[in-house]
Amino acid sequence: MEIDHSQPIGQIAVEMTGAASIFEKYGINYYKEYDLTLKQACSAVGVPLEQVESELKKIEPLSPLLYAPEPYWGGETMAALIHYIIHVHHATTRLLL
């Protein structure tokens, strides 16, 4: 996967599942300094850009089936929300760990 160097790290973390764990591994603060580019963020923590970029390129895209739209929770029961959390959210999270 090609990395856009002008894209902010916060956006990379949102769009590339698995990027957040790579950022955390290197101490890149993608949630507080979300507007930095990857180059700026790597420079700020003293990590070679090529090293982080190499790991980001290895991320496998998730199946589109995992991106099903969420229901409108204001109109759902608590039981439906609990079922969603256990069977969809937790299942997706387990895949990422």
Side-chain angles (χ1 to χ4, degrees), residues 5-19:
H5 291 271
S6 65
Q7 190 176 28
I9 57 172
Q11 188 176 354
I12 293 172
V14 169
E15 293 179 0
M16 294 181 70
T17 304

Side-chain angles (χ1 to χ4, degrees), residues 50-91:
E50 297 77 19
Q51 188 173 350
V52 176
E53 186 176 38
S54 171
E55 289 195 40
L56 290 172
K57 287 181 178 180
K58 293 176 186 174
I59 294 174
E60 294 287 328
L62 290 177
S63 166
L65 298 174
L66 296 176
Y67 295 110
E70 286 191 22
Y72 169 67
W73 295 114
E76 294 291 336
T77 65
M78 186 61 71
L81 175 59
I82 292 168
H83 183 272
Y84 178 85
I85 291 170
I86 292 170
H87 297 286
V88 178
H89 175 72
H90 287 178

Side-chain angles (χ1 to χ4, degrees), residues 13-63:
V14 169
E15 293 179 0
M16 294 181 70
T17 304
S21 60
I22 293 170
F23 291 156
E24 289 170 3
K25 174 181 174 181
Y26 291 106
I28 296 173
N29 192 344
Y30 62 91
Y31 47 89
K32 189 173 181 184
E33 298 170 341
Y34 60 89
D35 57 340
L36 294 179
T37 65
L38 185 58
K39 183 177 182 178
Q40 291 169 327
C42 288
S43 177
V45 295
V47 177
L49 171 65
E50 297 77 19
Q51 188 173 350
V52 176
E53 186 176 38
S54 171
E55 289 195 40
L56 290 172
K57 287 181 178 180
K58 293 176 186 174
I59 294 174
E60 294 287 328
L62 290 177
S63 166

